[in-house]
Amino acid sequence: MIASHAAVPVVPTLILTKKMKVLPFHRTYVIFGEAVAPETLREWCGEGGTGYRQAAERIFARVGALLPPDYRLGTLPALP
């Protein structure tokens, strides 16, 4: 909702760590997806209300698509 009102792009971001815990000095992968343009976000949100929820679900689906196919909970994938 805030990004829609501010007319800014949203960058889907996935953060992977061992056992899904962010700890200092431990390996952490941050994977950025393609930004969602403000115009696209505005289309997804429509008139607000349930539109914001649908836009959030679409963005979350893009974050999920960033997950490597061989990823299993508790292990770090081999990333380039």
Side-chain angles (χ1 to χ4, degrees), residues 12-56:
T13 306
L14 176 69
I15 300 173
L16 284 177
T17 63
K18 191 171 187 177
K19 298 184 182 177
M20 303 305 283
K21 294 181 182 178
V22 179
L23 299 170
F25 309 110
H26 285 79
R27 185 170 296 180
T28 301
Y29 295 101
V30 180
I31 304 169
F32 298 99
E34 186 177 330
V36 177
E39 300 79 29
T40 304
L41 188 59
R42 206 171 306 118
E43 287 175 21
W44 290 353
C45 290
E47 295 298 318
T50 59
Y52 293 131
R53 179 179 295 274
Q54 292 171 353

